[in-house]
Amino acid sequence: MHPFAFTKASNTREALNAGRRGGRYIAGGTTLVDLMRETVERPETLVDITGLPLRDVLVTQGGGLRIGALVRMAEAAAHPAVRAAFPIVSQALELSASAQLRNMATIGGNIMQRTRCTYFRDVTAACNKREPGSGCAAREGFNRSHAILGTSDACVATHPSDVAVAFAALEATVHLLGPDGERSVPFADFLLKPGSTPNHEQALRKGELITAVEIPPLPRPLKSGYLKVRDRQSYEFALTSAAVALHVRNGVIREARIAAGGVGTVPWKLPAVERQLIGRRPSQALWAEAAEQAVAGTRPLAHNRFKVALLRRTVERQLRIVGEMV
Ligand code: SF4
């Protein structure tokens, strides 16, 4: 590990001042400390933000939710308001990582976590995300876990978060605070596809801090859930996942919010699947027909062709599970 300075911010102003000078924010540290040990990350200064007042879960007007950036994953998953209104979020959190990690890691840190591409974490391998311009070892290497959507010549790594898939499906907003004040970014614009600059992963300006993630109010009743498919049943990242929320009234689907994980360079919203469902009556045939849309535009690599069929089946299965709750 490279030497670094450490400071603890006692208020937001101190944190922003340190961030403006190039300090890296740290809360649970469950990704960043690992990466520092492996010398993938070499920050000069860490700014501990765990003392900032960003730990509330609030029900917003109309029935949305605002989850503070420093709410622990386990706290958010267990919160009665989250469980009641958006089980899709609780389920995504509970299917993530391990109990120990969920007790430490925060919501803000979860969506900021970096890819699990093994070449990214191996400092001897070529990796454009870690060392821009060095190449991408995964393209010609072992790429079974990599992305089939949103890839570029420069990078094919997946985004590893589960709850980010739920946030993408629900069209959440990320609230930010920086040296120039507050602003809000739609979740769909917050995490960046790799393009030619895979080292730029979030739409954050220098020194900006995530303060909260806000889920908008959605029509009730809303049934939702998260399905994760992985090589083993705990402490494993998704091969594919599906976040589905449906509002059905008088036997007709009026609203659908759907996204997939484990397959995209960012959590992958599925608007074509949503369009296929809206205005239709739930049926087995409809779930299968809509799930076909999930795989449009996929670009599999040498070792992950199986993800195309697995994605279609994951989406179909989760549509059926949530559709039968309605
Ligand atoms: Fe690096 Fe992305 Fe290639 Fe993995 S897929 S080696 S993260 S550039």
Side-chain angles (χ1 to χ4, degrees), residues 60-65 86 170-171 214-220 222 257:
T60 62
Q61 205 169 16
L65 276 182
F86 297 105
L170 296 170
E171 297 171 13
E214 184 167 345
I215 301 169
L218 286 166
R220 301 286 159 179
L222 186 82
R257 298 280 194 279

Side-chain angles (χ1 to χ4, degrees), residues 184-310:
S184 300
V185 179
F187 201 83
D189 299 331
F190 181 71
L191 297 174
L192 306 178
K193 295 192 197 82
S196 58
T197 54
N199 52 315
H200 292 147
E201 297 176 333
Q202 301 92 13
L204 278 171
R205 298 176 187 153
K206 186 169 182 185
E208 274 187 327
L209 187 65
I210 300 173
T211 54
V213 176
E214 184 167 345
I215 301 169
L218 286 166
R220 301 286 159 179
L222 186 82
K223 300 293 182 184
S224 71
Y226 184 75
L227 175 65
K228 181 173 182 176
V229 178
R230 46 190 166 170
D231 283 327
R232 57 183 182 190
Q233 278 305 307
S234 76
Y235 198 27
E236 185 56 281
F237 294 91
L239 290 169
T240 59
S241 71
V244 170
L246 299 175
H247 168 57
V248 179
R249 202 178 65 245
N250 299 331
V252 174
I253 300 169
R254 311 285 171 167
E255 296 275 352
R257 298 280 194 279
I258 300 168
V263 289
T265 50
V266 294
W268 205 258
K269 182 78 163 151
L270 293 168
V273 178
E274 295 170 349
R275 283 194 298 273
Q276 198 81 13
L277 295 169
I278 291 170
R280 309 274 299 273
R281 291 185 176 276
S283 72
Q284 300 293 325
L286 180 61
W287 310 139
E289 181 188 330
E292 287 292 339
Q293 302 295 323
V295 299
T298 50
R299 294 175 58 197
L301 302 160
H303 306 114
N304 67 5
R305 189 162 295 277
F306 71 97
K307 282 195 177 187
V308 178
L310 190 60

Side-chain angles (χ1 to χ4, degrees), residues 65-87:
L65 276 182
R66 186 180 167 112
I67 305 175
L70 292 177
V71 176
R72 307 279 179 186
M73 289 171 68
E75 292 168 350
H79 196 284
V82 179
R83 295 188 90 79
F86 297 105

Side-chain angles (χ1 to χ4, degrees), residues 6-268:
F6 185 87
T7 178
K8 184 169 171 84
S10 52
N11 56 51
T12 307
R13 186 173 42 79
E14 276 183 24
L16 292 179
N17 282 340
R20 188 170 44 205
R21 291 194 297 271
R24 283 286 299 276
Y25 299 127
I26 186 167
T30 54
T31 293
L32 183 54
V33 173
D34 276 357
L35 293 173
M36 289 171 66
R37 286 196 183 114
E38 292 164 11
T39 68
V40 173
E41 294 263 18
R42 284 166 282 181
E44 289 183 4
T45 303
L46 289 184
V47 185
D48 180 349
I49 58 169
T50 52
L52 303 188
L54 304 172
R55 299 195 64 157
D56 291 328
V57 177
L58 302 172
V59 178
T60 62
Q61 205 169 16
L65 276 182
R66 186 180 167 112
I67 305 175
L70 292 177
V71 176
R72 307 279 179 186
M73 289 171 68
E75 292 168 350
H79 196 284
V82 179
R83 295 188 90 79
F86 297 105
I88 188 174
V89 172
S90 292
Q91 291 170 18
L93 288 165
E94 286 172 346
L95 290 168
S96 303
S98 65
Q100 292 93 332
L101 288 167
R102 294 193 296 271
N103 283 332
M104 278 301 289
T106 62
I107 291 294
N110 183 290
I111 63 175
M112 290 289 292
Q113 69 179 294
R114 306 199 72 189
T115 183
R116 260 54 193 183
C117 172
T118 49
Y119 302 104
F120 171 72
R121 284 165 182 258
D122 173 359
V123 292
T124 66
C127 175
N128 289 321
K129 193 181 277 298
R130 177 172 29 77
E131 290 289 339
S134 64
C136 172
R139 276 212 154 270
E140 300 305 322
F142 187 56
N143 44 42
R144 177 177 180 270
S145 66
H146 288 70
I148 56 174
L149 287 160
T151 57
S152 70
D153 288 345
C155 181
V156 292
T158 52
H159 191 277
S161 168
D162 291 294
V163 76
V165 182
F167 290 151
L170 296 170
E171 297 171 13
T173 297
V174 183
H175 294 293
L176 304 170
L177 179 64
D180 298 327
E182 291 179 277
R183 68 184 182 111
S184 300
V185 179
F187 201 83
D189 299 331
F190 181 71
L191 297 174
L192 306 178
K193 295 192 197 82
S196 58
T197 54
N199 52 315
H200 292 147
E201 297 176 333
Q202 301 92 13
L204 278 171
R205 298 176 187 153
K206 186 169 182 185
E208 274 187 327
L209 187 65
I210 300 173
T211 54
V213 176
E214 184 167 345
I215 301 169
L218 286 166
R220 301 286 159 179
L222 186 82
K223 300 293 182 184
S224 71
Y226 184 75
L227 175 65
K228 181 173 182 176
V229 178
R230 46 190 166 170
D231 283 327
R232 57 183 182 190
Q233 278 305 307
S234 76
Y235 198 27
E236 185 56 281
F237 294 91
L239 290 169
T240 59
S241 71
V244 170
L246 299 175
H247 168 57
V248 179
R249 202 178 65 245
N250 299 331
V252 174
I253 300 169
R254 311 285 171 167
E255 296 275 352
R257 298 280 194 279
I258 300 168
V263 289
T265 50
V266 294
W268 205 258

